[in-house]
Amino acid sequence: MAVTGTDHDVCDQPRSAAEARTQAVTSLVDQLGSTQHLDRERARLRLRASLKDAGTTETTLNELRKRVSEQPTSEDWHGRLAWLNTAEILLESQRDFTEWQHIVTSSVSLLEDGEVRVREAISSCVRLLAAQHGAQVVQCMQPAICQSIENNWERTVHPALVSTEGSPPAELVSEVLNGSYQRRIPGTGDMRHGSEGWHALETSCKVLQGLIQGSGSAYKPFFDDPMQQRLWLCLYHPNRFIRETGYETCGDLCKIFAGSPLQTWGKDLAVRLQDGLSENWSQVRLAACHAVRALLLTCDDSFTEELLPLLLPQLCFNRWHESDGVRLYSQGTWQQALKQQGPAWLARCLPQVLQYYESQARSNNNRGREAACYCMAELVRKLESSAILPNLSRIMKALLSAFRDDSWPVRDGACLATASCALAYPEECRPWLEVLFPLWKRQLDDNVWSVRAHAAMALADVVRAYQQAALDVVVPCLREMLPKAQEQPETTNIQDLDRPTPPGVVVIPIIPQQPHTDTTALFQSSGLIRNKAALTAIGDSCGCMEYGYTRPRQPWEASDGAVYLLRQLAEVEPQQAVPFLSTLAHIARLSHFPQARNLQETIWKQLGAIMSALGKRTFKPYLEPFIEPLFDSLTCGQQTTAAAAGEFIGQVRDLLGPNIWAGRLSFEQQAAQTHSPHVPPPAGQYAGIAVRPTTHRSSSSSALAGFQDVAI
């Protein structure tokens, strides 16, 4: 009996293990139809892992074949999705699956399924089928896919929008009331999103893309004229997702038709890619960038020279696009396609490039207008003068129009770009200075700090270009603006309203028109303008892009911009900056208005660069007045201001030496420096040097006690 029992256990053990594996695989396949997305993804991963395990491969394949042989007729969409996921996993692991026609037929039946996740899963199965069986799958599926695209090409109309003919006319009052108070249904009329209403059109296009990707070179005979025209129509569809899929499909086709076969329709594609590279939707633009790279890198060199004049303006422009994906991908395409010939090609196609830049500078996309300014500045910096000089007037007109834009990033880009033009071609830009200097100056007290900083950089370039003639204009401007913070009222009320503002209403303050200041005499006396007649070439603004519609500018912002300008002036003309250090120390002490800490933060951030530009010998006599407001900022409690003050303290200490610097400080200031987390440790040649204690004593015993408490 004992032997019989042992034999029975030995015989049952393999059968139990096999049943356990079968049950585990069955459970995983069942989880592919779970209502939870996480469970479905976990089951997919585990099934793929079981197919790699020699002990479970055959059991898993048998269960997958069994499930795929069934019809995907479940009333619940989770069941239909589970069938497609099962078929995908099976096709990945078994390339010789004999019942692939059943998968094709079932996939076709699900092309217009009511659930989008079911339709999206078809593309992966079709891609695998086409990769394994090529032209046979294309021949079976492409007619059905094209029919689905045609069936859903037009947008479906909501039943509530269908008008009933023959209804009696309503009374005038009733008609007006119905038109004013009609019920708006979400997803219809004005409340309908631009991507709604096309049902299975996007997913059918995705399935077609998967069919092309999978079949590869086997798809060439099927890309006939009707199919080509259908693809071109997708590139202009109102739905942006259809356009995105269309451009991605074009990129796949370029790889399939690589070489001389691409010349038959490559130029037609390049013309259509011009629109894709100018899309407002960055995803669509990125898809067009993919297609452009595939087109330029797969065609012959001789054909590339025919395509570049068509694509170069957009490709060069997208290297400055706001979207990281578009910008980085376009830069990579530029390097791969043009290698070291970029500037030469830009000079060769400069008329087309400038025409495109001008159109983007007038576009309704403010980021496009900003990028156009940077692109024009790049042309001026990198191309030869023989190419730029005949077109400099066009560039300046476009930049001046952007300088009056109502979007501050556009004005910011135009500010830097016009300064680049003046630096590169000072004599040719001299007639434009009468218009440019008021614009540059106005940027110095803009509401945005980065605009003020960039305006100072622009004026520094102008000083580099025109030397003393520009200093005669910039220095009086600095003398006027730096002490403006003293005029800042104690309480700053941006909007004085007589009555409450309703929720959702944006109030634009009315700015009184400032009297016109004639600066022509100043510019002419400084020698900046020699030919005033040349100003007639400057086009006037259309008026609809006036840049003055913003909140009132504050006096402290003028001082803040002047601090940036002083820093730039110290780097260009150090001796011109020295007389302003006393005024700078005075405004650093101001604390009577709420934004005083912001102004102090700017001062401490820029004062380190000013000190480095002037040198220790020049700056040291002016250091004493800054110490008290510097340590006041260090202990003010506002983190950004304290951090800027601490950074500057570290710079001064490392410049003078820790012990010399400590000798200038009171006991309280030494304690604040020691215990502040914002002051970095000594660096450079003073790293690790201990500071000798000083004999300074505070005149205030209460303050000393407070610092002693902090130290404890």
Side-chain angles (χ1 to χ4, degrees), residues 291-480:
V292 167
R293 177 181 291 189
L295 177 62
L296 294 178
L297 297 184
T298 54
C299 63
D300 298 333
D301 293 341
S302 59
F303 191 51
T304 302
E305 295 186 0
E306 297 182 29
L307 298 179
L308 279 178
L310 299 173
L311 299 173
L312 192 71
Q314 293 81 358
L315 181 59
C316 187
F317 180 85
N318 284 335
R319 293 163 52 253
W320 293 89
H321 195 263
E322 62 166 333
S323 170
D324 289 342
V326 173
R327 183 176 64 254
L328 297 176
Y329 197 87
S330 298
Q331 291 172 2
T333 302
W334 184 271
Q335 294 173 357
Q336 295 179 35
L338 298 176
K339 298 181 175 62
Q340 304 298 325
Q341 301 299 318
W345 270 104
L346 273 178
R348 180 176 174 181
C349 303
L350 191 57
Q352 300 95 310
V353 172
L354 277 179
Q355 183 179 2
Y356 181 72
Y357 286 177
E358 288 172 339
S359 66
Q360 291 301 302
R362 297 189 299 267
S363 67
N364 59 358
N365 187 328
N366 67 311
R367 291 299 185 182
R369 301 196 299 272
E370 178 189 3
C373 296
Y374 292 122
C375 289
M376 293 182 188
E378 181 188 38
L379 292 179
V380 172
R381 291 195 308 268
K382 295 184 178 180
L383 293 190
E384 298 291 338
S385 58
S386 58
I388 292 298
L389 286 177
N391 300 283
L392 185 61
S393 178
R394 293 178 59 184
I395 295 175
M396 292 300 294
K397 287 181 180 179
L399 291 177
L400 279 174
S401 178
F403 220 150
R404 296 181 172 93
D405 201 284
D406 57 354
S407 174
W408 69 262
V410 182
R411 300 196 309 270
D412 194 23
C415 178
L416 293 172
T418 49
S420 297
C421 294
L423 181 60
Y425 301 97
E427 292 304 320
E428 289 77 10
C429 292
R430 193 180 293 271
W432 306 82
L433 293 178
E434 183 181 4
V435 179
L436 286 172
F437 261 109
L439 295 174
W440 283 324
K441 180 181 176 181
R442 188 168 177 80
Q443 293 285 94
L444 276 176
D445 63 347
D446 193 88
N447 305 144
V448 182
W449 73 266
S450 60
V451 174
R452 301 193 290 267
H454 291 163
M457 295 170 59
L459 286 172
D461 284 342
V462 175
V463 172
R464 292 185 181 96
Y466 298 100
Q467 299 297 322
Q468 187 59 44
L471 287 173
D472 293 341
V473 179
V474 172
V475 172
C477 175
L478 181 59
R479 186 178 298 111
E480 173 192 355

Side-chain angles (χ1 to χ4, degrees), residues 531-571:
N531 183 12
K532 188 175 180 180
L535 293 174
T536 57
I538 301 176
D540 294 331
S541 173
C542 62
C544 62
M545 305 297 286
E546 176 59 37
Y547 56 91
Y549 292 98
T550 179
R551 72 166 173 81
R553 301 173 184 234
Q554 303 299 312
W556 77 269
E557 293 172 339
S559 295
D560 190 83
V563 173
Y564 288 111
L565 181 58
L566 182 61
R567 178 255 176 93
Q568 298 294 332
L569 186 62
E571 295 180 354

